[in-house]
């Protein structure tokens, strides 16, 4: 199940940006969305008492929202099983994605409930639903209690400072999962015996607990999830408000909260998870260096499920930077849930980066690199670059470097590099305020005389930007007219077996630079995994851990690190230090 063919149409603005456009077939650009000339009327459908988990009949509304070449999206709403004082919270809004070629005569197929992250911007989940639907699997994403239109005037922010409301939200979410299963099981295109659930971060925690509450869930995927909910609340930066509330509780109040958390604790549902794991119907994907869901919490959940050896660990990635592995995650997700598709349903073949000529593939890397340094990502997104380089200079001296770079919208950035002469490890960035960590570990914070409008992009000056633009122009020329460069640069594909990672080799024969190089791409993407070269007497190998443009990014990624030694300085002083 390959996903690259949907990247140009669905992910261009939110995932790989320019590289996604390059991965499309040049002669066949993605077809535009086909919007209904007038919104069709909403259908009101009934789920009888015998088909609902609690024996209560209910109605749900279904209305077509948009039609794409490979999927359709419907707006769905239905009542929550739990009535709360906030009336808007009692209706569950959802988005239902189905394959565009769905026919009434098709055999029934599996369907997936997708649960969203704490941030609640829904982009990741919409991507997941889209790719599932375009590979034949209907998927439904609903908004958790107090999120979106459910939250009323205060919105989801009230959850992060009210522990009682937060625990009630989790308990209501579990009931909403069951009601969502009612809706899907009643759909004529869905096999009620093949329901699955997928969750990311907070959604993964809820999904794990839901498996013990809803027996119809026959497949489960937890992305960046874990158990030991109390430990997660104690350590996660996003839960600072909840932790502060927890610390203020009386022993009696703490006991009530502990009891509520125990009811939604994923580890309490180990029996259901063990059953799924034993049947090969459990998938866990986690960041090896997750700073929000500690690895111990993930390992505890895996151990409870008897799945310790089954976890897919993303090496070198944290909770936020793990989104650099989004193509891999989505590919695993589609393969996992599509395993239950009837044999008669065969999704259309997907395009791969092999459709690009070798010269175009090399040019795409150059364009992406220039974009990472020069182009500001869209709001809520970021560019990510993380890698290590081993270099042998002309004099035989060997050097090794590690660079981790993230650029967010506006003036957000984060840069870490080592080793830097006379500095050691360099760490600096700008989140709410600019910051820099000195050699002795002191955190310099530009909180005094802070001007949010001041420039915070110290990596590049005007001359460097000009050089980058020249490089970008050369890359575009490589793509548009490769024959013009043939006398200086030859790029060829290295033979590889079917399904193998693509490898290209280049030979540079220019009066000012001669050499050779080799690029290994990550499977079915234009993201490089390894680059080796020997140019001008300098040899090197670069191992790329993360490479992504315009991937989803949180403001937390750019915040200053914690430090025992903090010095607040005027912002302009810090910019001069940069």
């Amino acid at each position: 199940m390959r996903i690259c063919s949907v990247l140009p149409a669905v992910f261009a603005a939110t995932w790989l940006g320019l590289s996604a456009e390059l991965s499309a077939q040049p002669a066949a650009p993605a077809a535009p969305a086909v919007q209904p000339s007038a919104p069709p009327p909403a259908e009101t459908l009934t789920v009888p008492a015998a088909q609902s988990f609690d024996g209560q009949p209910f109605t749900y509304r279904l209305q077509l929202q948009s039609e794409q070449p490979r999927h359709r999206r419907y707006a769905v709403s239905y009542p929550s099983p739990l009535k709360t004082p906030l009336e808007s919270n009692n209706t569950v809004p959802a988005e239902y994605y189905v394959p565009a070629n769905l026919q009434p005569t098709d055999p029934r197929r599996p369907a997936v409930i997708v649960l969203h992250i704490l941030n609640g911007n829904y982009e990741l989940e919409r991507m997941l639903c889209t790719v599932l639907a375009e590979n034949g699997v209907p998927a439904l994403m609903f908004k958790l209690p107090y999120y979106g239109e459910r939250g009323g005037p205060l919105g989801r922010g009230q959850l992060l400072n009210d522990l009682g409301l937060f625990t009630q939200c989790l308990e209501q979410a579990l009931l909403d999962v069951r009601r969502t299963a009612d809706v899907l099981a009643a759909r004529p295109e869905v096999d009620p015996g093949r329901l699955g659930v997928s969750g990311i971060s907070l959604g993964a925690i809820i999904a794990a607990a839901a498996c013990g509450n809803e027996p119809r869930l026959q497949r489960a995927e937890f992305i960046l999830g874990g158990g030991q909910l109390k430990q997660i609340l104690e350590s996660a930066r996003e839960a600072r408000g909840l932790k502060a509330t927890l610390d203020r509780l009386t022993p009696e109040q703490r006991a009530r909260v502990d009891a509520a958390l125990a009811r939604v604790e994923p580890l309490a549902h180990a029996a259901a998870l063990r059953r799924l794991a034993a049947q090969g119907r459990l998938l866990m994907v986690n960041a090896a260096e997750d700073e929000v869901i500690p690895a111990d919490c993930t390992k505890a959940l895996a151990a409870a499920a008897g799945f310790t050896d089954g976890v897919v660990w993303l090496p070198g990635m944290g909770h936020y930077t793990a989104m650099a592995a989004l193509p891999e995650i989505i590919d695993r997700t589609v393969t996992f849930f599509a395993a239950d598709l009837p044999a008669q349903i065969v999704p259309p073949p997907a395009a791969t980066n092999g459709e690009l000529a070798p010269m175009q593939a090399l040019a795409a890397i150059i364009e992406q690199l220039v974009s990472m340094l020069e182009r500001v990502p869209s709001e809520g997104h970021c560019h990510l670059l993380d890698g290590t380089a081993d270099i042998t200079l002309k004099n035989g001296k060997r050097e090794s470097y590690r660079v981790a770079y993230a650029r967010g919208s506006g003036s957000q950035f984060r840069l870490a590099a080592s080793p830097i002469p006379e500095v050691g490890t360099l760490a600096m960035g700008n989140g709410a305020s600019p910051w820099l960590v000195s050699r002795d570990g002191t955190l310099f914070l530009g909180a005094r005389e802070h001007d949010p409008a001041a420039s915070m992009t110290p990596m590049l000056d005007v001359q460097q930007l000009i050089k980058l633009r020249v490089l970008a122009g050369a890359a575009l020329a490589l793509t548009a007219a490769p024959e013009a460069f043939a006398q200086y640069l030859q790029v060829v594909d290295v033979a590889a077996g079917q399904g193998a990672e693509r490898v290209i080799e280049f030979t540079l024969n220019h009066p000012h630079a001669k050499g050779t190089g080799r690029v290994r791409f990550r499977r079915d993407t234009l993201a490089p995994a390894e680059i080796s070269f020997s140019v001008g007497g300098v040899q090197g190998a670069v191992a790329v851990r993360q490479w992504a443009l315009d991937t989803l990014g949180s403001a937390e990624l750019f915040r200053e690190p914690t430090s025992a030694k903090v010095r607040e300085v005027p912002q302009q002083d810090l910019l001069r230090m940069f």
Side-chain angles (χ1 to χ4, degrees), residues 231-241 243 291-294:
Q231 182 179 337
I232 294 172
L233 292 178
E234 290 278 351
S235 61
R237 174 176 284 181
E238 292 82 349
R240 287 188 300 265
K243 184 179 183 302
E291 67 277 30
V292 175
I293 308 292

Side-chain angles (χ1 to χ4, degrees), residues 74-91:
Y74 293 85
V76 188
S77 61
Y78 41 94
S80 173
L82 180 65
K83 302 301 179 185
T84 66
L86 182 61
E87 185 58 35
S88 61
N89 187 49
N90 298 332
T91 297

Side-chain angles (χ1 to χ4, degrees), residues 111-115 140 142 173-182 184-185 191-199 203-222 269 271-273 275-277 279 281-282 336-337 340:
V112 181
I113 300 169
V114 178
L115 302 175
L140 186 149
F142 72 86
L174 293 177
L175 293 173
D176 289 349
V177 170
R178 303 205 69 182
R179 182 64 80 221
T180 304
D182 290 341
L184 286 177
D191 181 348
R194 298 290 187 183
L195 299 183
V197 63
S198 175
I205 294 171
I206 296 172
C211 290
N213 281 279
E214 177 47 71
R216 288 173 291 184
L217 296 177
Q218 295 301 304
R219 277 189 182 272
E221 176 191 38
F222 313 141
H269 304 282
L273 301 180
R275 172 178 59 83
L276 293 175
Q279 296 171 348
R281 295 177 175 271
L282 180 62
F336 178 68
F337 287 109
D340 286 333

Side-chain angles (χ1 to χ4, degrees), residues 352-404:
T352 72
N353 77 335
E355 293 174 333
L356 288 180
M359 186 79 82
Q360 291 175 312
L362 180 62
I365 293 178
I366 299 172
E367 288 187 280
Q368 291 176 67
L369 181 59
V370 171
S371 294
M372 286 182 188
L373 297 173
E374 182 185 24
R375 182 165 59 83
V376 178
S378 54
E379 183 68 26
H381 293 70
C382 69
H383 307 323
L384 294 173
L385 175 61
D386 187 340
T388 57
D390 294 309
I391 309 294
T392 302
L393 303 177
K394 290 182 179 180
N395 60 8
K397 182 180 179 182
R398 300 187 63 180
E399 298 179 349
S400 296
Y401 300 94
R402 165 80 185 276
V403 176

Side-chain angles (χ1 to χ4, degrees), residues 525-571:
T525 76
L526 284 169
E530 185 177 329
I531 303 170
S532 58
F533 61 90
S534 177
V535 177
V538 177
Q539 299 179 10
V542 179
V544 182
R545 302 172 66 180
Q546 298 176 38
W547 179 287
L549 277 84
D550 249 344
T551 188
L552 291 173
S554 166
E556 294 290 330
L557 177 62
F558 306 99
R559 291 181 65 92
E560 70 276 10
T562 57
S563 175
K565 297 182 291 184
V566 179
R567 287 185 58 186
E568 292 191 0
V569 298
Q571 175 179 283

Side-chain angles (χ1 to χ4, degrees), residues 97-339:
Y97 296 72
V98 300
N101 61 351
L102 189 68
Q103 300 296 323
T105 56
D106 287 346
R108 290 192 167 200
R109 59 185 76 200
V112 181
I113 300 169
V114 178
L115 302 175
H116 64 72
I117 63 177
L118 181 68
N119 180 273
N121 60 11
Y122 320 120
E123 291 188 9
L124 280 171
E125 296 73 28
R126 285 170 174 148
M127 289 181 190
L128 199 60
C129 289
T130 296
V131 181
L132 284 167
E134 294 192 351
N135 282 276
V137 182
L140 186 149
M141 179 210 80
F142 72 86
K143 293 178 183 177
L144 295 174
Y146 298 96
Y147 277 77
E149 56 267 47
R150 299 184 72 172
L154 297 178
R156 69 177 181 89
Q158 57 194 311
L159 293 174
L160 299 180
N161 295 292
D162 186 333
L163 200 52
L165 196 64
F166 180 76
T167 54
Q168 179 222 294
C169 164
L170 296 181
E171 294 188 275
Q172 185 178 10
L174 293 177
L175 293 173
D176 289 349
V177 170
R178 303 205 69 182
R179 182 64 80 221
T180 304
D182 290 341
V183 172
L184 286 177
R187 295 295 306 161
E189 66 273 8
V190 172
D191 181 348
R194 298 290 187 183
L195 299 183
V197 63
S198 175
I200 305 171
S201 191
L202 172 66
I205 294 171
I206 296 172
C211 290
N213 281 279
E214 177 47 71
R216 288 173 291 184
L217 296 177
Q218 295 301 304
R219 277 189 182 272
E221 176 191 38
F222 313 141
I223 303 170
L224 305 180
Q228 298 177 332
L229 185 54
K230 284 176 61 178
Q231 182 179 337
I232 294 172
L233 292 178
E234 290 278 351
S235 61
R237 174 176 284 181
E238 292 82 349
R240 287 188 300 265
L242 294 174
K243 184 179 183 302
T245 302
L246 194 64
D247 293 340
R248 292 193 299 267
L249 295 181
T250 65
E252 294 77 11
Q253 292 171 325
R254 181 70 177 253
R256 287 196 296 272
V257 168
D258 286 347
L261 291 176
R263 290 192 292 272
V264 295
E265 168 57 55
L267 299 184
H269 304 282
L273 301 180
R274 284 196 296 270
R275 172 178 59 83
L276 293 175
Q279 296 171 348
R281 295 177 175 271
L282 180 62
L283 175 62
M284 292 178 64
V285 182
N286 291 84
E289 299 177 11
D290 199 317
E291 67 277 30
V292 175
I293 308 292
D296 287 347
C297 295
T298 297
K299 292 174 181 176
L301 181 61
F307 199 62
T308 301
D309 296 332
V311 179
V312 177
W313 293 101
L314 303 174
M317 295 189 182
H319 197 78
Y320 304 110
T321 58
M323 290 304 99
L326 191 57
E328 174 189 345
I329 293 171
I330 292 182
D331 213 11
R332 288 182 181 275
T333 298
V334 171
T335 301
F336 178 68
F337 287 109

